[in-house]
Amino acid sequence: MKKTTYRYVVNALGKGGEIYLTHCHDKYTLKKWLKDHEDDLILDEIKITDKKRHPFLKLFSFEKIK
């Protein structure tokens, strides 16, 4: 059995209270999914996790400060 690996994990909140959780293989499919669902999503509530990002770089990630 082949193990499928995904690079990006998307966790988003919809305008009607829906919760979206999806996986994308590459940046192209990630951008396509976001474009297809941009009318249904609250853009401030999207969290995208790159699973292949080096752990040391996660310390220096730039988050929005409210």
Side-chain angles (χ1 to χ4, degrees), residues 52-60:
K52 292 190 179 182
R53 188 174 183 187
H54 193 277
F56 184 70
L57 294 175
K58 290 180 184 179
L59 296 173
F60 299 108

Side-chain angles (χ1 to χ4, degrees), residues 9-13 19-22 33 45-49:
V9 178
V10 181
N11 189 359
L13 185 64
I19 297 174
Y20 293 91
L21 178 66
T22 188
W33 188 88
E45 297 294 328
I46 297 174
K47 182 175 179 181
I48 301 170
T49 306

Side-chain angles (χ1 to χ4, degrees), residues 35 50-51 56:
K35 185 172 181 159
D50 185 357
K51 291 174 57 177
F56 184 70

Side-chain angles (χ1 to χ4, degrees), residues 23-45:
H23 307 281
C24 298
H25 289 285
D26 55 3
K27 192 178 275 190
Y28 174 74
T29 56
L30 174 67
K31 287 183 179 183
K32 184 180 180 305
W33 188 88
L34 288 172
K35 185 172 181 159
D36 291 344
H37 293 90
E38 70 182 343
D39 295 335
D40 301 331
L41 300 175
I42 300 173
L43 298 179
D44 293 339
E45 297 294 328

